[in-house]
Amino acid sequence: MKRFHTLLTAVLLCTAAAIPAAAQPAMTNVYGRDCQLLNGKWAAIIDPYDQGVPKEIFLNRTPQNDTEFFEYAFEGGLRLEVPGDWNSQSPELKYYEGTVWYARHLVVGTGAAQPAEGVCATAVEAPCDGERMFLYFGAVNYRCNVYLNGKKICTHEGGFTPFEVEVGGLLRDGDNFLAVEVDNRRRPDAIPAMAFDWWNYGGITRDVMIVRTPKTFIRDYFLRLDKASDSRLLLSVDLSEPVAGEVSLQIPELGIDRTLRTDAQGHGETSIDVKKLKLWSPEAPYLYDVRLVCGGSPLDDRIGFRRITVDGTKILVNGRETFMRSISFHEEIPQRMGRACSRADARMLLAEVQDLGANMVRLAHYPQNEYTVRMAEEMGILLWEEIPIWQGIDFTDRATAEKAHAMLREMIARDKNRCAIGFWGIANETRPSAARDAFLTSLLEAGRALDESRLFVAAFDNAYYMEKSDRFEMHDDFTRLLDVVAVNKYMGWYAPWPKDPGTIHWDICTDKPLIISEFGCEAQYGQHGDRHRASSWSEEYQEQLYIDNLAMFANIPNLAGISPWILFDFRSPYRFHPTNQEGWNRKGLGPRTAQKSVACDPRLLPLETGGAIEKEITPNH
């Protein structure tokens, strides 16, 4: 990646409206650093009328005499688990969208006085000379303001990407009071905006930690396979300070111990020729232990190397045509009706994916937990990761565009070293317009400036059967800019069949790979009925609909993958049917219990190579 492009992107994207000066995008690979989790029970106050700021509850004042009192208290009140969402932790908060204040004490120094018993507190070692400390949040949904000892130190918008703020110079010996004001209200200028078909879980939904670094450290790095050679690696590094320094790269298994020197801006690049490099693939997910060292401080990672490209209408992984046998899931554990937030949650979801024989997951519809991304890498599952540009976005609003750029940058910064990521998604179900095209084109150009090693994709829902041509067509000029085009089409559910499915043909972006990124229907687990009537909401109808769609897919000449919607039923406030939905989107191929649905018949899913579906719809693969 050219240094000029990196600097240009930073200038264009780093705006005060998107990311305030006190906040910073998170450093790369926070889990490979010296970090201390601040997870657990946090004190909380529900603030539906936003009175917390006027009452200055971030000061956490307590009465100092007999005549003084305050109309709030964190101690003795609500406790919420972090990471986690508040909607699943209290019946009264199930539908709550608004403000909740979280609070925790950080007690610095071994000899410091401890808070009273029952107070949410964490002991933190004082920083050593020359050591820096950062407060890191994996994700907070959706807006948040962070206060330390009564001072606002950070603000962030966006519910699915990490951020951090330096606190080493703000912490004092003894007790420190940390408060986080979280607001998950839907707003027209938010991303996603007012209307989205999943649960708006509020809260501190991912890990919170203190991260310690030396004064000068490796803030960002990108280690990947050279686009031109399978025997050359490329490394780019950015230090935390604009200073010249030395960084060493060590990959013991490959016998690599290379030192590069950064320029006066703290940036450095190098290439390394390697022999007998084992490439990562879904069939053989090989990862190497990697260590970067700057100033004697090590930074460890596990990184795989692979190439994902397009050849005409084919998607190639390491030069081999690979059909995307995909499934989608939301970051939700349906059995407990809450946000997935732990390593165990990631394993549960991905184990179900692996059990289906899928080789890819479309992470719907936002960057999901880093645990999920890293575990998919270990398990050999490709990922399509996207930002939540999902209907209803105001494409004419400059501030909204700045937020979208910030989210894209934060997503790529966190996961660009994760070889499981094969696709960056920039939009879902948007409609053509001059404003939309300009908005998405800007995003696409910014994304490619940051990472040219992945394929860029968007999903569309404007493909229609045209009687005149007797086939499906889609007229959307933006598709010509993408590497891969995807279509969401619910034939037999939201759209009636115009003719026998096996006789329907498609004529959409025939010079590019096409993925059917959503299809399916809703069915109640255990409900049986007429397999030809949608109103039965039955497993039999869901089964027949899949059979019919597969027959249609066989006539798509440039089909490169399918991704049924969706792995599990998920909560949705827009699903009103009193007996068949009850606040759930019922399109899941597996129910929200541990049992498998009848609709999970292996014949209906994109199973392992040689499975029935692959033979039927991709006879040349």
Side-chain angles (χ1 to χ4, degrees):
M1 185 186 304
K2 300 294 186 182
R3 178 61 176 164
F4 171 77
H5 287 155
T6 302
L7 290 174
L8 179 61
T9 300
V11 170
L12 291 174
L13 301 186
C14 289
T15 64
I19 299 184
Q24 303 175 43
M27 61 188 78
T28 300
N29 184 22
V30 69
Y31 290 100
R33 304 173 188 267
D34 181 1
C35 54
Q36 177 185 0
L37 289 172
L38 301 180
N39 296 346
K41 294 289 186 183
W42 287 48
I45 292 175
I46 304 169
D47 184 13
Y49 301 116
D50 292 312
Q51 291 302 297
V53 171
K55 291 181 180 296
E56 299 182 318
I57 68 175
F58 48 83
L59 295 175
N60 196 37
R61 291 172 295 186
T62 57
Q64 301 300 305
N65 55 57
D66 292 342
T67 62
E68 191 174 34
F69 69 93
F70 298 99
E71 294 182 307
Y72 68 86
F74 282 98
E75 279 67 47
L78 178 65
R79 297 290 183 267
L80 292 173
E81 194 72 35
V82 171
D85 63 274
W86 64 57
N87 309 86
S88 64
Q89 296 190 50
S90 168
E92 291 80 11
L93 295 176
K94 179 178 180 180
Y95 293 98
Y96 182 67
E97 296 189 7
T99 299
V100 171
W101 290 79
Y102 288 75
R104 191 166 194 83
H105 293 264
L106 306 179
V107 185
V108 177
T110 55
Q114 299 294 314
E117 185 177 351
V119 173
C120 298
T122 300
V124 177
E125 289 187 14
C128 302
D129 290 342
E131 187 177 60
R132 301 170 68 175
M133 297 174 66
F134 294 83
L135 179 63
Y136 166 93
F137 292 86
V140 178
N141 192 40
Y142 167 74
R143 293 173 175 88
C144 73
N145 295 307
V146 182
Y147 298 81
L148 182 61
N149 296 325
K151 178 183 177 182
K152 185 191 289 190
I153 61 170
C154 175
T155 185
H156 185 263
E157 180 171 351
F160 305 102
T161 49
F163 61 96
E164 67 193 26
V165 60
E166 189 164 3
V167 296
L170 303 176
L171 291 169
R172 60 197 182 201
D173 289 340
D175 184 41
N176 295 263
F177 183 70
L178 175 64
V180 184
E181 179 188 16
V182 182
D183 178 3
N184 75 327
R185 291 178 179 91
R186 303 174 190 230
R187 297 179 183 175
D189 64 344
I191 301 176
M194 294 296 292
F196 49 93
D197 184 28
W198 65 85
W199 206 265
N200 186 24
Y201 289 111
I204 303 175
T205 56
R206 297 181 190 160
D207 289 341
V208 183
M209 61 182 78
I210 293 288
V211 183
R212 299 171 183 268
T213 71
K215 182 180 184 301
T216 300
F217 62 94
I218 301 168
R219 169 164 285 283
D220 185 33
Y221 62 93
F222 191 8
L223 180 62
R224 70 278 190 196
L225 194 65
D226 189 339
K227 289 178 65 175
S229 173
D230 285 352
S231 58
R232 182 178 299 116
L233 302 180
L234 302 179
L235 171 66
S236 57
V237 174
D238 284 287
L239 301 182
S240 58
E241 311 298 316
V243 296
E246 289 189 347
V247 175
S248 69
L249 168 67
Q250 301 166 11
I251 309 179
E253 188 175 345
L254 295 174
I256 293 174
D257 191 349
R258 171 71 61 88
T259 299
L260 68 84
R261 186 165 183 82
T262 64
D263 60 22
Q265 299 304 311
H267 178 79
E269 296 181 0
T270 190
S271 62
I272 307 103
D273 291 328
V274 294
K275 296 180 179 180
K276 298 181 179 179
L277 182 67
K278 297 178 181 178
L279 298 183
W280 183 98
S281 70
E283 298 79 20
Y286 200 85
L287 301 174
Y288 288 92
D289 291 324
V290 172
R291 170 167 285 189
L292 294 164
V293 182
C294 177
S297 178
L299 175 56
D300 293 322
D301 206 343
R302 282 174 57 77
I303 297 179
F305 306 103
R306 58 98 193 91
R307 181 185 317 286
I308 185 162
T309 56
V310 164
D311 180 12
T313 63
K314 301 174 182 178
I315 296 173
L316 308 182
V317 178
N318 302 327
R320 178 172 176 264
E321 183 180 0
T322 304
F323 188 79
M324 297 296 110
R325 307 185 309 271
S326 182
I327 190 72
S328 296
F329 60 66
H330 274 291
E331 192 175 68
E332 179 180 89
I333 301 299
Q335 292 86 348
R336 71 163 185 262
M337 296 184 286
R339 178 67 75 200
C341 57
S342 67
R343 185 179 287 106
D345 290 342
R347 183 172 297 280
M348 177 269 182
L349 291 168
L350 291 170
E352 293 288 337
V353 170
Q354 197 171 55
D355 190 44
L356 293 179
N359 63 4
M360 189 182 95
V361 171
R362 181 188 179 198
L363 297 173
H365 281 294
Y366 37 79
Q368 296 197 13
N369 202 304
E370 190 169 348
Y371 289 133
T372 298
V373 176
R374 286 181 175 270
M375 192 166 293
E377 197 169 49
E378 298 278 352
M379 297 170 68
I381 299 172
L382 282 162
L383 298 175
W384 162 347
E385 189 170 45
E386 62 192 59
I387 55 175
I389 303 297
W390 193 92
Q391 299 185 8
I393 299 295
D394 184 357
F395 293 116
T396 65
D397 183 64
R398 180 177 177 180
T400 301
E402 290 169 348
K403 294 171 192 176
H405 277 268
M407 292 177 186
L408 181 69
R409 184 179 68 254
E410 290 170 353
M411 176 178 72
I412 292 176
R414 192 194 74 174
D415 289 338
K416 62 177 176 282
N417 289 300
R418 309 276 64 86
C419 64
I421 304 288
F423 306 84
W424 295 127
I426 62 169
N428 179 70
E429 297 186 355
T430 63
R431 297 302 174 90
S433 71
R436 187 219 60 172
D437 290 353
F439 187 107
L440 295 187
T441 299
S442 176
L443 276 177
L444 187 59
E445 291 173 349
R448 284 184 170 142
L450 293 168
D451 181 12
E452 296 179 334
S453 69
R454 267 91 176 185
L455 303 177
F456 281 81
V457 63
F460 302 87
D461 66 341
N462 51 338
Y464 302 105
Y465 177 78
M466 310 300 290
E467 290 188 10
K468 184 176 180 179
S469 63
D470 191 28
R471 60 192 60 235
F472 272 92
E473 298 178 8
M474 185 173 75
H475 301 284
D476 195 319
D477 290 340
F478 180 71
T479 58
R480 63 186 173 80
L481 301 179
L482 295 165
D483 300 307
V484 177
V485 175
V487 172
N488 302 339
K489 198 65 189 177
Y490 291 91
M491 295 305 300
W493 190 244
Y494 298 128
W497 293 104
K499 55 191 297 189
D500 178 77
T503 65
I504 297 176
H505 292 265
W506 285 51
D507 184 13
I508 294 176
C509 300
T510 54
D511 60 335
K512 293 179 181 288
L514 180 69
I515 294 176
I516 302 298
S517 41
E518 294 182 27
F519 69 100
C521 72
E522 297 190 44
Q524 267 278 36
Y525 171 66
Q527 185 159 300
H528 300 286
D530 191 331
R531 69 187 304 109
H532 299 292
R533 290 183 59 206
S535 60
S536 69
W537 299 76
S538 65
E539 292 187 348
E540 287 81 7
Y541 183 79
Q542 189 181 46
E543 180 181 40
Q544 185 61 49
L545 179 138
Y546 269 81
I547 292 171
D548 291 342
N549 272 274
L550 296 183
M552 178 179 67
F553 297 161
N555 296 324
I556 302 177
N558 54 327
L559 188 68
I562 64 171
S563 191
W565 187 262
I566 187 169
L567 180 62
F568 287 118
D569 293 352
F570 60 94
R571 295 175 68 188
S572 171
Y574 294 154
R575 305 293 165 162
F576 302 137
H577 198 286
T579 57
N580 292 313
Q581 291 177 313
E582 300 177 290
W584 289 82
N585 185 313
R586 299 291 189 186
K587 294 187 183 69
L589 292 179
R592 57 190 176 95
T593 65
Q595 297 170 291
K596 288 283 190 287
S597 169
V598 173
C600 268
D601 188 316
R603 295 171 299 169
L604 307 182
L605 292 171
L607 297 179
E608 57 205 28
T609 302
I613 184 172
E614 188 155 323
K615 290 178 180 177
E616 181 176 354
I617 68 176
T618 57
N620 297 322
H621 290 27

